Amino acid sequence: DVKVTQSSRYLVKRTGEKVFLECVQDMDHENMFWYRQDPGLGLRLIYFSYDVKMKEKGDIPEGYSVSREKKERFSLILESASTNQTSMYLCASSLYRGRWDSPLHFGNGTRLTVT
Amino acid sequence: GENVEQHPSTLSVQEGDSAVIKCTYSDSASNYFPWYKQELGKRPQLIIDIRSNVGEKKDQRIAVTLNKTAKHFSLHITETQPEDSAVYFCAASIPPGGSYIPTFGRGTSLIVHP
């Protein structure tokens, strides 16, 4: 069974801090994603990656960056956290490089609060 | 890119009733339609999916139907149970080489009353 692990379940940060959210998957999946989940807005894609050192913008990349130095690890970075980035962040992975017609496997999420 | 509309946003049923959630999509090239269930405080998990070469797929009490002409697909849950209470998300994605990744609907909160 695929395991997608997010390093923190809950995180509280101050406005202006640099924040790192880490995600690791253990099944050699090629694609990795970061989503943001807010009530009534569903799952919105921030960034995704289909290969090491590759990254592509999703629907709401502003204020975020990502890093994928190793295949199994995909990090989301908030350069200067703001209160409107308070949200649930979900990491996901899928198997085939550059193919989007396969199931996503999600992590448990990180609930980030920016005060 | 793809646009996925999901209705209703909230669905309340009595235990044993059926529940239907409908999604419409905009790009006729979309060919993969998964459904995810997210229980409170847990991760979304795939419960069923369908590809565009199939009209219907069943797995015990859950079924998904696809109407390519009308560009909509639906999740059907029969004999609902309290443990079916969750948020359900639909998604649509296109074949390899396409320029965008799976797009999600906004979710349906299903409440099953005992």
Side-chain angles (χ1 to χ4, degrees), chain A residues 28-77:
Chain A
D28 207 33
H29 280 188
E30 302 285 349
N31 307 315
M32 295 189 76
F33 307 81
W34 275 105
Y35 285 91
R36 173 174 169 162
Q37 183 174 19
D38 299 288
L41 298 179
L43 299 167
R44 295 182 293 166
L45 182 68
I46 305 171
Y47 269 95
F48 65 101
S49 167
Y50 54 85
D51 203 350
V52 175
K53 297 195 185 293
M54 300 299 293
K55 58 184 179 183
E56 297 284 346
K57 292 179 180 179
D59 298 319
I60 52 166
E62 295 79 19
Y64 303 94
S65 62
V66 289
S67 172
R68 195 167 181 200
E69 296 296 318
K70 292 185 178 181
K71 188 176 183 179
E72 67 270 20
R73 186 181 296 272
F74 193 36
S75 303
L76 179 69
I77 303 155

Side-chain angles (χ1 to χ4, degrees), chain A residues 13-42:
Chain A
K13 296 292 180 180
R14 294 198 180 276
T15 301
E17 277 193 82
K18 190 169 186 176
V19 182
F20 293 86
L21 303 183
E22 306 287 345
C23 175
V24 176
Q25 50 94 4
D26 67 355
M27 283 300 289
D28 207 33
H29 280 188
E30 302 285 349
N31 307 315
M32 295 189 76
F33 307 81
W34 275 105
Y35 285 91
R36 173 174 169 162
Q37 183 174 19
D38 299 288
L41 298 179

Side-chain angles (χ1 to χ4, degrees), chain A residues 9 37 100-101 104 106 108, chain B residues 36 38 41 43 51 93 101:
Chain A
R9 191 82 171 99
Q37 183 174 19
W100 318 124
D101 57 347
L104 295 178
F106 287 89
N108 279 326
Chain B
Y36 295 86
Q38 186 178 27
R43 69 184 77 191
R51 299 187 185 272
S93 62
I101 51 74

Side-chain angles (χ1 to χ4, degrees), chain A residues 66-101:
Chain A
V66 289
S67 172
R68 195 167 181 200
E69 296 296 318
K70 292 185 178 181
K71 188 176 183 179
E72 67 270 20
R73 186 181 296 272
F74 193 36
S75 303
L76 179 69
I77 303 155
L78 286 66
E79 296 291 341
S80 177
S82 63
T83 54
N84 62 11
Q85 293 178 309
T86 292
S87 186
M88 171 67 84
Y89 291 88
L90 288 165
C91 175
S93 69
S94 67
L95 183 56
Y96 302 112
R97 184 181 186 276
R99 287 193 63 152
W100 318 124
D101 57 347

Side-chain angles (χ1 to χ4, degrees), chain B residues 39-52:
Chain B
E39 297 177 28
L40 191 64
K42 296 190 176 179
R43 69 184 77 191
Q45 291 191 292
L46 180 78
I47 54 171
I48 196 166
D49 55 8
I50 193 168
R51 299 187 185 272
S52 58

Side-chain angles (χ1 to χ4, degrees), chain B residues 25 31-33 48-58 64-68 72-73:
Chain B
Y25 60 98
N31 72 336
Y32 176 64
F33 307 92
I48 196 166
D49 55 8
I50 193 168
R51 299 187 185 272
S52 58
N53 59 345
V54 175
E56 182 176 0
K57 185 176 178 181
K58 280 186 178 179
V64 56
T65 58
L66 172 65
N67 183 326
K68 287 192 294 182
H72 67 72
F73 57 110

